[in-house]
Amino acid sequence: MMKGATTLALTALVLAGCSGDTEPAAPAGQNNTSSGNNTSPSNNTMMTTPGNNTMMTTPGNNGTSTTPANNMTNPPPPMFDMNNTTPPSDMGMGMEDMGMDTDMGPVDMGPPPEPMCGNGVIEGDETCDGDCSVDCNDDNACTMDTVSGSPAMCDVVCMNVEVNSSCGPADDCCPMGCMIGEDPDCTLDALDCTDPTTWPADWVALEDEAMMLVNQARTMGGTCGAMSYPAGTMSLTLSPQLQEAARCHALDMAKRNYFGSKSPEGEGVGERVQATGYTYSLAGQDVGAGRATGAPQIQSWLMREGSCVHMLDPKFDDFGIGYAFNDAADNKHYWTQVVADKSSP
């Protein structure tokens, strides 16, 4: 009797765990419309690709796909949109008690750490809280690196001062505010999506315009498919971390000439957001290409149900938009928007 009851209880638990409902948190995202890659307990994925929108929900291993007709309205370069929503995934593994106790013996911790200069403690062979390095090179051609003080006196100070450089000369420095094409050192390879100081000013202006239009849409309210959102929804807050994730994907598409919610290696929005250190319970991504300014791009996303939800749904708190341009790429203009429902600390 006990064995039969246990079997029934386990069966009920398995059935209960196969629900296809959206789960809190799963990294990775793909596609520019409603939901995207979830690496979470239920594995729910909704992907919409340019002109070929597919919505897939996978509880356990059941797949459902719906493919609306191709929707291409603008002349070349082609303009595409994709979106996805993904809860972050728990990448850890639960460990059961294996009933094993092993004495591994003493652990070799290696040599003691080097004395730390300037931490207020005289350590090791320090004669004072110093003996600091005199190498202040920050590997940035746009700064002048100087050293003041001396290790003997424990008062070494590094100064890395940005040089006022004009756009034009080939000196390995792409000055802040110079656009690609205005300076031979301002190239796509010189850009760092994790460093806002390297981002071209004209790209920043386009991103700011697009983010303003998103919040205007939230203020006005609207309908996304069967869902209606009232006017007066609180504005999304710009998150530097989400903007970093958006910029990195937009730049990667522009540099490597592809369009999609995932990188060619399969990295999705979840991985990109988690790499910035941002914690969330739900994240969404929208991708667009071919549109030179923010207004037509935002309008296009508002016409797509999943992207529209990302912009109007009050459950999302933060966002960031990234834009990148490459004249040699097929679509030239590349956009990514990342929205998230921030986790409580």
Side-chain angles (χ1 to χ4, degrees), residues 22-276:
T22 302
E23 307 220 3
Q30 171 154 11
N31 262 35
N32 196 338
T33 302
S34 176
S35 314
N37 270 14
N38 296 347
T39 319
S40 71
S42 289
N43 222 12
N44 300 339
T45 304
M46 181 182 297
M47 303 186 291
T48 306
T49 57
N52 189 6
N53 303 337
T54 305
M55 180 184 300
M56 302 191 304
T57 306
T58 311
N61 248 346
N62 299 330
T64 305
S65 64
T66 309
T67 308
N70 216 2
N71 182 7
M72 300 278 292
T73 57
N74 293 357
M79 292 175 285
F80 302 116
D81 299 299
M82 304 174 69
N83 86 279
N84 58 287
T85 307
T86 176
S89 69
D90 179 2
M91 302 302 290
M93 288 196 307
M95 297 291 289
E96 295 292 340
D97 183 0
M98 303 302 290
M100 185 168 61
D101 185 12
T102 304
D103 183 2
M104 303 300 292
V107 178
D108 182 7
M109 302 301 292
E114 290 292 322
M116 182 181 296
C117 174
N119 66 347
V121 179
I122 298 176
E123 306 163 290
D125 57 358
E126 286 184 326
T127 56
C128 58
D129 182 28
D131 298 342
C132 306
S133 169
V134 294
D135 181 10
C136 290
N137 181 15
D138 64 354
D139 295 321
N140 184 347
C142 294
T143 62
M144 180 179 293
D145 310 316
T146 58
V147 182
S148 65
S150 71
M153 298 301 294
C154 303
D155 60 356
V156 170
V157 175
C158 290
M159 290 179 289
N160 309 107
V161 181
E162 187 170 353
V163 179
N164 291 326
S165 177
S166 59
C167 302
D171 55 5
D172 295 325
C173 169
C174 176
M176 191 177 199
C178 293
M179 302 179 188
I180 292 179
E182 292 183 336
D183 187 296
D185 298 302
C186 295
T187 64
L188 288 177
D189 290 334
L191 300 179
D192 181 357
C193 58
T194 68
D195 182 0
T197 64
T198 70
W199 213 244
D202 56 331
W203 295 9
V204 173
L206 289 169
E207 293 167 347
D208 288 346
E209 176 201 19
M211 289 186 288
M212 177 192 69
L213 293 172
V214 170
N215 278 328
Q216 281 184 359
R218 284 173 74 87
T219 300
M220 296 173 61
T223 300
C224 306
M227 299 295 296
S228 293
Y229 298 97
T233 299
M234 184 177 295
S235 294
L236 290 167
T237 301
L238 171 61
S239 161
Q241 294 164 304
L242 296 184
Q243 184 160 56
E244 176 183 315
R247 283 176 170 176
C248 287
H249 188 51
L251 181 62
D252 192 49
M253 290 191 292
K255 288 175 67 173
R256 297 204 282 169
N257 193 22
Y258 73 91
F259 177 75
S261 291
K262 285 189 174 183
S263 71
E265 294 74 29
E267 181 186 60
V269 62
E271 290 93 338
R272 285 188 287 274
V273 171
Q274 288 184 344
T276 70

Side-chain angles (χ1 to χ4, degrees), residues 236-322:
L236 290 167
T237 301
L238 171 61
S239 161
Q241 294 164 304
L242 296 184
Q243 184 160 56
E244 176 183 315
R247 283 176 170 176
C248 287
H249 188 51
L251 181 62
D252 192 49
M253 290 191 292
K255 288 175 67 173
R256 297 204 282 169
N257 193 22
Y258 73 91
F259 177 75
S261 291
K262 285 189 174 183
S263 71
E265 294 74 29
E267 181 186 60
V269 62
E271 290 93 338
R272 285 188 287 274
V273 171
Q274 288 184 344
T276 70
Y278 184 99
T279 58
Y280 64 97
S281 58
L282 191 66
Q285 175 181 265
D286 306 292
V287 180
R291 297 174 181 87
T293 61
Q297 182 58 68
I298 299 305
Q299 185 60 37
S300 174
W301 280 337
L302 284 170
M303 294 174 65
R304 306 179 70 86
E305 182 176 349
S307 301
C308 177
V309 169
H310 288 164
M311 289 187 278
L312 302 188
D313 195 330
K315 73 183 174 187
F316 292 110
D317 308 308
D318 299 338
F319 78 143
I321 290 180

